């Protein structure tokens, strides 16, 4: 049995593992003693590998390139040469006709790794000539990236995952680590065992609430009112560190002009939190030697996401609970390489290494390195991923290149998203599975899967770690960076990398903060945490040591905001709040985990809608029954999970389900500062179904039809190429 | 000889279900479907996996009219071929740790199917007896909330508790004297 070192391709915890290979097939996983996982894995790490083997449990792997010669025609298998020539020609036509700004691309924060993403953004900027490149952070921790860059200078965790267990107080605000990062939840359990106090602020009674010393069940959509009140208490009770503020923080007086109005009493109606409980929480957090505040999608997928991130940063700064190993900020990233996508400049305003596209000096550096005239690199910020729907409707975007994402599953208002993708003039999808989004593409390019290529992932706490190939890509699937460089070469900007290390070394040369992270250093269980400017010096476990923030004046900036209500409040017709959450055993759009035997066996369609017993009772709904859930956007069938852990008046759906699809119900309303959708708050209604037998059959029928439709869509790839008689049907 | 079973500590459990996935994959699938033999149960205040306690006077063993459930040493085991699917054991088990599922068995002569029959299958924890490294749920639990409880560990824990009680008694006595 061979063993190949890898990093888990699921959440951002960065767990090291060995893939076990027998007869060219991955047959198992063994945990390794990585820096963040210490020899442990969760269910996705242990049992999330078999999708590589094309199990066809959910959807088939993509094995051969296919094109749709005309809209409406079926896909047709073609050679790589023909697929890439076709793609290059079509893209060039669109650029010639509408200009380079009419092409938009999205990177992949999942299996491909940093190198493939780097090559894709280089293709976007140096070959196509725009900054229309984004990644799924837009839909998740985008507000953390933006908000933290504004307030403290770096859009990442300031503490490391291992150090979380050494904090004296951990406050979780809109973050459910047991579902999103079990390996981080383990650190919190360990912290508790070592004597730490835990504070949980969440409308739902999440797993960590069970071990919390203080539980604050704030109302859905009240984050900013709550955080402002926390800051208000900190100042009014004299808990702030005046010396630290004088030396390392700017904007206090102006900020206080707003915050002074937010006494916990004044916002009690909004937050639902007893002022005394809020005071206890702030005192506990403020007076501990070292406190960490962790947050997740509960903060960011709101219309005031960036503003709450500003305020969380302010809270940590005024209390001097930042810049130490066990004190600081922990926005833990959802996807395995979403930190990496941001690191690699899959962001419309940033080059790799968080260097601004509108800075002429930075542009000059990249133009020189990439051997293009400066004017080829745009100084203009590109489109955001969530700009896609309106930009397509307004005729500004004509072509879209999707890399390993499934927007029809993961973006809000999927019914509208389908119209958007269908109305594109040209749509390329490069993926490993025939997803719902790929099924609409004009060009389907089969990339290699995690387990089939080498590379570097960035874990959530800025830790670069290498992963290696265990098996070869199946069929004609190719490494993603090879596809991008071949396409770029065809379009007049040649790229010729031989391996991922060459690409990575270019990243290092261009990004001073990553320079020290050599492949050699990351061999085996090695790692490098950025900023790591020097090869012979350790990386930074902790950001902002000694109050040195990464802003031009080295000071943190306090930015005040007033609370505003969520966009779509419940009413008589849609009386329930819908909040989308995450399934522990599944990942992203589910194309990977849904093809794994154990994970699909543990949880399958139509998923659940979690509701309070009172909300179920008045609708005549019993636990585990199928129900209708509907909103102004759509209607889906799902299963009731009736539990007292759910707060009354709100229902929760995990976004992994293709039949019980919550994004048919959510609305496309975004935080204006980040473009992140307000997935945590919209209005819906739930209805009992009288005939459960009929409903079960209906659900199974929908599921079988969807699987068949996608398998049929992929089927042309199995037809042998006419031009090449040596190719036989698979 | 006391019983040996798997016990979960709800204070360490994060409800992630890794134990269930491990259990599913450790055992042969039933009609191609992997099924776990322990159930992660969540109430408002508790999350913990529940599985067979291999009781020393097991109601499931006593309730089985066909002796399909029996003792193999201290372990409650199943003779699959004897099970008639009457569900007495399911009713008798105070832990809800037994389930019966139906499997399809096909009999053929010379490649021709002459009988498709449904056969009951008793699902319960077997302590991964065929696995030298012990139960898969215990080894994969990432917070180490699952432990094997057996005679030795019960003795140690009982002794520990008695020592603590003795120490407490000493403190109580000294305070009694002071008072």
């Amino acid at each position: 049995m061979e063993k190949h070192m890898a990093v888990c391709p699921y959440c951002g915890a960065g767990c090291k593992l060995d893939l076990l290979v027998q007869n060219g097939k991955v047959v198992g996983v063994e945990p390794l003693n990585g820096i963040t996982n210490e020899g442990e894995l969760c269910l996705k790490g242990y049992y999330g590998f078999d999708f590589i083997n094309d199990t066809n449990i959910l959807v088939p792997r993509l094995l051969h390139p296919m094109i749709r010669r005309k809209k409406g025609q079926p896909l047709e298998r073609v050679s790589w040469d023909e697929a890439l020539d076709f793609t290059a020609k079509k893209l060039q036509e669109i650029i010639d006709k509408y200009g380079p700004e009419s092409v938009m691309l999205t990177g992949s924060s999942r299996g491909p790794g940093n190198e493939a993403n780097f090559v894709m953004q280089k293709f976007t900027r140096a070959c196509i000539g725009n900054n229309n490149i984004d990644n799924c952070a837009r839909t998740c921790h985008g507000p953390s990236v933006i908000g933290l860059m504004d307030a403290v200078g770096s859009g990442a965790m300031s503490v490391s995952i291992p150090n979380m267990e050494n904090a004296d107080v951990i406050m979780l605000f809109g973050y459910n680590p047991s579902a999103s990062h079990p390996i981080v939840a383990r650190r919190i359990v360990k912290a508790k065992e070592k004597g730490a106090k835990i504070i949980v602020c969440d409308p739902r009674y999440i797993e960590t609430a069970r071990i919390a010393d203080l539980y604050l069940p704030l109302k859905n959509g009240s984050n900013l009112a709550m955080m402002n009140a926390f800051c208000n208490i900190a100042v009014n009770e004299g808990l702030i560190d005046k010396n630290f503020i004088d030396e390392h923080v700017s904007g206090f007086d102006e900020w206080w002009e707003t915050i002074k109005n937010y006494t916990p009493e004044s916002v009690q109606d909004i937050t639902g939190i007893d002022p005394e409980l809020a005071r206890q929480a702030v005192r506990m957090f403020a007076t501990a030697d070292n406190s960490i505040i962790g947050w997740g999608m509960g903060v960011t997928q709101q219309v005031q996401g960036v503003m709450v991130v500003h305020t969380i940063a302010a809270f940590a700064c005024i209390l001097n609970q930042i810049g130490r190993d066990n004190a600081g900020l922990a926005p833990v990233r959802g996807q395995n390489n979403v930190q990496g996508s941001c690191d690699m400049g899959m962001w419309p305003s940033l080059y790799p290494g968080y260097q601004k596209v509108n800075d002429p000096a930075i542009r000059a550096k990249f133009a020189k390195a990439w051997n293009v005239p400066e004017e080829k690199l745009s100084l203009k910020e590109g489109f955001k991923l969530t700009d896609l729907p309106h930009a397509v409707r307004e005729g500004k975007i004509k072509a879209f290149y999707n890399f390993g994402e499934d927007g029809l599953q993961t973006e809000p208002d999927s019914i509208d998203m389908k119209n958007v993708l269908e109305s594109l003039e040209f749509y390329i999808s490069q993926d490993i599975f025939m997803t719902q989004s790929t099924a609409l593409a004009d060009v389907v390019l089969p990339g290699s899967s995690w387990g089939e290529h080498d590379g570097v992932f960035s874990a959530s706490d800025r830790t670069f770690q290498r992963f290696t190939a265990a098996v070869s890509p199946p069929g004609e699937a190719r490494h993603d960076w090879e596809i991008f460089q071949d396409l770029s070469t065809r379009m007049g900007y040649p790229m010729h990398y031989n391996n991922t290390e060459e690409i990575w070394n270019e990243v290092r040369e261009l990004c001073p903060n990553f320079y020290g992270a050599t492949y050699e250093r990351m061999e085996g269980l090695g790692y490098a945490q950025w900023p790591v400017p020097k090869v012979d010096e350790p990386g930074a476990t902790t950001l902002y040591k000694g109050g040195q923030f990464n802003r031009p004046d080295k000071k943190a900036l306090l930015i005040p905001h007033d609370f505003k209500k969520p966009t779509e409040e419940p009413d008589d017709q849609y009386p329930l709040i819908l909040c989308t959450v995450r399934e522990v055993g599944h990942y992203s759009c589910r194309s990977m985990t849904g093809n794994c035997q154990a994970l699909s066996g543990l949880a399958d369609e139509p998923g659940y809608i979690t509701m309070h017993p009172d909300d179920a009772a008045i609708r005549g709904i019993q636990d585990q029954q199928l129900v209708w859930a509907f909103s102004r956007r759509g209607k889906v069938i799902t299963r009731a999970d009736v539990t007292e852990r759910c707060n009354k008046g709100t229902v929760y759906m995990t976004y992994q389900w293709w039949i019980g699809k919550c994004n048919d119900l959510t609305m496309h309303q975004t935080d204006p500062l980040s473009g992140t959708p307000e997935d945590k708050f919209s209005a819906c209604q739930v209805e009992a179904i009288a005939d459960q037998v009929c409903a079960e059959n209906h659900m199974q029928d929908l599921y079988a039809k969807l699987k068949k439709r996608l398998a049929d869509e992929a089927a042309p790839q199995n037809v042998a190429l006419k031009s090449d008689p040596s190719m036989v049907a698979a | 000889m006391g019983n040996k079973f798997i016990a979960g500590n709800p204070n360490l459990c994060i409800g992630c279900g890794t134990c269930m996935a491990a259990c599913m994959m450790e055992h042969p699938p039933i009609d191609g479907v992997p099924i776990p033999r322990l159930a992660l149960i969540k109430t408002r205040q508790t999350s913990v996996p529940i599985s067979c306690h291999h009781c020393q006077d097991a109601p499931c063993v006593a309730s089985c009219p066909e002796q399909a459930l029996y003792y193999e040493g201290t372990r409650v085991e199943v003779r699959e071929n004897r099970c008639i699917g009457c569900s007495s054991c399911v009713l008798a088990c105070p832990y809800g740790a037994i389930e019966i599922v139906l499997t399809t068995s096909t009999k053929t002569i010379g490649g021709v199917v002459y009988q498709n029959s449904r056969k009951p299958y008793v699902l319960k924890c077997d302590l991964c007896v065929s696995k030298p490294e012990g139960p898969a749920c215990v080894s994969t639990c990432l917070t180490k909330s699952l432990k094997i409880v057996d005679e030795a560990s019960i003795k140690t824990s009982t002794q520990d508790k008695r020592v603590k009680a003795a120490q407490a008694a000493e403190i109580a006595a000294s305070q009694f004297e002071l008072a």
Side-chain angles (χ1 to χ4, degrees):
Chain A
M1 181 129 36
E2 297 166 38
K3 292 184 181 184
H4 297 270
M5 179 276 292
V7 179
C8 179
Y10 296 113
C11 82
C15 301
K16 280 262 177 175
L17 51 85
D18 263 337
L19 287 170
L20 310 180
V21 175
Q22 212 160 27
N23 303 324
K25 258 191 153 180
V26 182
V27 294
V29 158
E30 271 177 11
L32 287 172
N33 192 22
I35 176 74
T36 57
N37 66 312
E38 295 183 310
E40 302 293 343
L41 293 173
C42 78
L43 68 169
K44 293 197 290 289
Y46 273 115
Y47 305 106
F49 64 87
D50 46 328
F51 73 89
I52 300 172
N53 301 330
D54 198 9
T55 57
N56 272 291
I57 296 171
L58 183 61
V59 281
R61 272 293 294 267
L62 297 171
L63 305 171
H64 303 283
M66 291 185 281
I67 61 170
R68 209 183 297 275
R69 292 188 194 277
K70 272 188 183 161
K71 294 268 175 197
Q73 285 185 353
L75 287 166
E76 181 187 326
R77 178 174 164 189
V78 293
S79 67
W80 268 111
D81 275 341
E82 185 171 356
L84 292 174
D85 285 344
F86 179 80
T87 308
K89 183 169 163 277
K90 285 273 191 181
L91 277 179
Q92 197 57 56
E93 279 170 14
I94 285 171
I95 292 168
D96 292 345
K97 194 166 164 192
Y98 306 105
E101 297 294 328
S102 63
V103 180
M104 162 107 206
L105 302 89
T106 179
S108 175
S109 305
R110 299 167 68 191
N114 284 334
E115 293 84 346
N117 279 290
F118 176 84
V119 177
M120 189 191 205
Q121 65 81 36
K122 184 174 174 182
F123 166 69
T124 308
R125 294 185 160 119
C127 180
I128 292 179
N130 67 34
N131 288 309
N132 294 343
I133 180 90
D134 205 356
N135 84 95
C136 69
R138 188 64 59 193
T139 341
C140 58
H141 260 302
S144 301
V145 177
I146 293 168
L148 292 179
M149 285 182 79
D150 294 340
V152 287
S154 287
M157 284 176 70
S158 76
V159 291
S160 72
I161 291 171
N163 274 333
M164 288 180 78
E165 72 176 65
N166 300 319
D168 300 301
V169 168
I170 297 176
M171 178 187 274
L172 299 185
F173 199 101
Y175 174 42
N176 181 12
S178 302
S180 47
H181 310 88
I183 285 292
V184 175
R186 168 181 173 267
R187 296 284 181 177
I188 294 167
V189 169
K190 287 184 85 174
K192 173 87 181 175
E193 282 187 303
K194 290 181 177 181
K197 302 275 189 210
I198 311 290
I199 306 167
V200 169
C201 308
D202 205 296
R204 266 189 314 167
Y205 197 72
I206 57 170
E207 286 288 345
T208 313
R210 300 193 300 111
I211 60 164
D213 298 273
L214 292 176
Y215 170 55
L216 283 70
L218 74 166
K219 289 186 190 174
N220 301 73
S222 69
N223 289 346
L224 189 58
M226 191 78 259
M227 269 324 300
N228 278 353
F230 282 177
C231 291
N232 179 286
I233 293 167
V235 177
N236 277 334
E237 296 216 353
L239 297 165
I240 58 172
D241 186 332
K242 288 203 177 87
N243 291 335
F244 185 82
I245 294 171
D246 286 345
E247 284 175 39
H248 303 292
V249 178
S250 58
F252 183 87
D253 292 340
E254 198 186 338
W255 175 80
W256 179 245
E257 281 306 302
T258 300
I259 302 302
K260 71 180 185 194
N261 303 317
Y262 285 85
T263 60
E265 284 79 9
S266 71
V267 293
Q268 190 176 357
D269 283 351
I270 300 167
T271 62
I273 296 300
D274 173 7
E276 192 45 40
L277 181 60
R279 289 197 171 90
Q280 281 176 28
V282 175
R283 283 175 207 142
M284 190 181 272
F285 187 89
T287 56
D289 287 344
N290 290 292
S291 295
I292 287 175
I293 180 164
W295 69 94
M297 301 299 93
V299 162
T300 59
Q301 290 175 335
Q302 307 268 6
V303 79
Q304 290 191 299
V306 175
M307 296 179 180
V308 178
V309 172
H310 286 157
T311 313
I312 289 173
F315 183 59
C317 289
I318 58 171
L319 295 170
N320 188 12
Q321 290 291 11
I322 191 164
R324 296 186 299 280
D325 285 346
N326 312 327
L329 309 169
V332 190
R333 309 297 291 261
Q335 300 199 175
N336 64 311
N337 201 38
V338 68
Q339 182 66 51
S341 285
C342 297
D343 293 350
M344 292 304 107
M346 313 306 274
W347 201 254
S349 59
L350 297 170
Y351 282 112
Y354 302 91
Q355 304 174 83
K356 296 195 164 118
V357 296
N358 59 10
D359 180 339
I362 296 293
R363 174 170 84 161
K365 176 173 96 170
F366 277 86
K368 188 166 175 245
W370 291 346
N371 197 23
V372 288
E374 278 185 36
E375 53 279 12
K376 178 73 184 179
L377 300 181
S378 174
L379 286 168
K380 194 179 139 200
E381 187 174 325
F383 283 116
K384 302 176 186 74
L385 198 47
T386 42
D387 287 330
L388 188 69
H390 70 84
V392 170
R393 254 190 292 275
E394 290 159 17
K396 291 178 185 158
I397 293 175
K398 298 289 184 183
F400 179 53
Y401 193 150
N402 170 50
F403 177 26
E405 295 291 341
D406 185 6
L408 274 190
Q409 186 60 33
T410 57
E411 298 295 313
D413 197 352
S414 37
I415 297 164
D416 183 61
M417 179 59 85
K418 183 163 183 281
N419 294 332
V420 168
L421 294 179
E422 282 173 341
S423 60
L424 285 161
E425 217 168 289
F426 189 51
Y427 169 32
I428 308 154
S429 189
Q430 181 168 318
D431 204 332
I432 59 172
F433 286 110
M434 179 52 78
T435 63
Q436 298 165 84
S437 300
T438 299
L440 298 175
D442 301 303
V443 175
V444 175
L445 303 174
S448 55
S449 163
W450 169 79
E452 295 164 357
H453 51 237
D454 300 332
V456 173
F457 285 147
S458 308
S460 178
D461 61 355
R462 299 169 278 106
T463 302
F464 291 129
Q465 298 187 108
R466 273 176 68 189
F467 58 95
T468 60
V471 292
S472 307
E476 291 182 283
R478 297 181 69 197
H479 296 316
D480 296 294
W481 56 269
E482 293 179 312
I483 302 173
F484 296 128
Q485 76 175 9
D486 278 8
L487 183 61
S488 187
T489 302
R490 276 173 165 80
M491 292 182 68
Y493 181 71
M495 287 195 247
H496 298 289
Y497 299 103
N498 293 301
N499 54 47
T500 52
E501 188 172 6
E502 279 183 22
I503 304 167
W504 185 252
N505 285 337
E506 183 174 322
V507 175
R508 289 175 48 232
E509 292 291 340
L510 283 165
C511 306
N513 280 336
F514 306 162
Y515 184 75
T518 60
Y519 258 44
E520 192 185 355
R521 184 172 180 165
M522 296 185 284
E523 189 80 43
L525 296 178
Y527 62 93
Q529 218 166 350
W530 70 253
V532 53
K534 291 191 178 141
V535 177
D536 51 357
E537 281 179 18
T541 310
T542 305
L543 296 179
Y544 322 128
K545 282 208 165 170
Q548 296 302 300
F549 293 96
N550 292 340
R551 298 184 66 259
D553 61 356
K554 301 287 172 205
K555 287 185 171 188
L557 177 64
L558 304 185
I559 311 166
H561 303 286
D562 277 310
F563 170 76
K564 170 180 133 185
K565 283 181 177 176
T567 309
E568 186 182 66
E569 293 212 78
D571 55 21
D572 289 347
Q573 205 183 350
Y574 299 101
L576 295 167
I577 297 165
L578 169 66
C579 177
T580 72
V581 289
R582 172 193 303 257
E583 192 78 36
V584 64
H586 285 292
Y587 173 70
S588 186
C589 68
R590 201 169 121 251
S591 62
M592 291 154 76
T593 52
N595 275 309
C596 294
Q597 201 182 19
L599 303 177
S600 63
L602 265 185
D604 207 345
E605 296 284 358
Y608 285 104
I609 188 161
T610 302
M611 56 200 302
H612 187 271
D614 291 354
D615 289 326
I618 54 166
R619 289 169 175 79
I621 292 167
Q622 283 170 21
D623 188 34
Q624 303 300 312
Q625 279 187 336
L626 288 172
V627 295
W628 289 115
F630 50 97
S631 75
R632 289 183 176 82
R633 274 72 53 189
K635 178 175 181 177
V636 297
I637 194 164
T638 179
R639 199 180 297 283
D641 169 28
V642 180
T643 165
E644 286 180 337
R645 287 190 184 182
C646 181
N647 54 313
K648 214 166 148 179
T650 304
V651 293
Y652 297 83
M653 292 174 81
T654 54
Y655 78 99
Q656 274 77 22
W657 306 110
W658 298 15
I659 301 300
K661 191 184 209 175
C662 61
N663 278 329
D664 275 358
L665 274 48
T666 51
M667 88 193 138
H668 194 105
Q669 174 68 44
T670 58
D671 177 347
L673 299 178
S674 67
T676 306
E678 196 181 6
D679 290 336
K680 297 290 175 200
F681 203 107
S682 60
C684 78
Q685 176 60 299
V686 181
E687 207 174 77
I689 302 177
D691 190 342
Q692 285 291 308
V693 176
C694 178
E696 292 285 353
N697 289 337
H698 174 67
M699 191 279 290
Q700 289 299 342
D701 185 47
L702 286 175
Y703 192 21
K705 277 184 180 152
L706 176 61
K707 285 201 267 193
K708 183 171 184 309
R709 178 169 73 76
L710 295 172
D712 287 349
E713 204 66 57
Q717 70 176 345
N718 300 323
V719 176
L721 280 181
K722 281 176 205 153
S723 55
D724 184 357
S726 69
M727 294 236 184
V728 285
Chain B
M1 279 243 297
N3 59 333
K4 180 175 170 181
F5 64 100
I6 293 156
N9 178 353
N11 294 329
L12 300 180
C13 180
I14 57 168
C16 66
T18 303
C19 52
M20 285 178 80
C23 186
M24 283 168 83
M25 298 316 282
E26 189 53 39
H27 295 94
I30 314 292
D31 275 3
V33 183
I35 306 179
R37 286 126 201 268
L38 86 175
L40 174 62
I41 300 301
K42 299 184 183 186
T43 67
R44 178 164 167 102
Q45 198 49 46
T46 293
S47 296
V48 74
I50 299 296
S51 64
C52 174
H53 273 234
H54 298 269
C55 307
Q56 295 177 75
D57 181 11
C60 60
V61 173
S63 74
C64 182
E66 297 292 321
Q67 286 84 50
L69 289 146
Y70 68 104
Y71 285 101
E72 182 73 56
T74 61
R75 214 172 58 245
V76 174
E77 262 298 341
V78 186
R79 291 186 192 97
E80 290 302 339
N81 56 345
R82 288 211 179 178
C83 177
I84 56 171
C86 69
S87 298
S88 298
C89 56
V90 179
L91 294 177
C93 176
Y95 285 93
I98 304 186
E99 269 184 277
I100 291 185
V101 294
L102 285 177
T103 68
T104 313
S105 80
T106 306
K107 292 183 180 168
T108 56
I109 296 177
V112 178
V113 176
Y114 77 91
Q115 196 186 4
N116 254 331
S117 62
R118 304 187 85 190
K119 181 80 188 99
Y121 191 99
V122 181
L123 274 178
K124 67 178 279 304
C125 167
D126 60 1
L127 293 169
C128 289
V129 64
S130 57
K131 199 172 141 76
E133 56 273 39
C137 56
V138 175
S139 61
T140 55
C141 176
L142 61 154
T143 57
K144 301 284 170 260
S145 84
L146 290 172
K147 293 220 157 42
I148 297 170
V149 176
D150 58 12
E151 198 173 9
S153 68
I154 288 176
K155 256 188 195 161
T156 311
S157 137
T158 305
Q159 187 60 20
D160 285 353
K161 282 187 248 176
R162 285 173 179 165
V163 168
K164 274 185 198 153
Q167 287 162 344
E170 193 186 348
I171 293 163
S174 66
Q175 288 183 344
F176 180 75
E177 280 161 19
L178 285 174

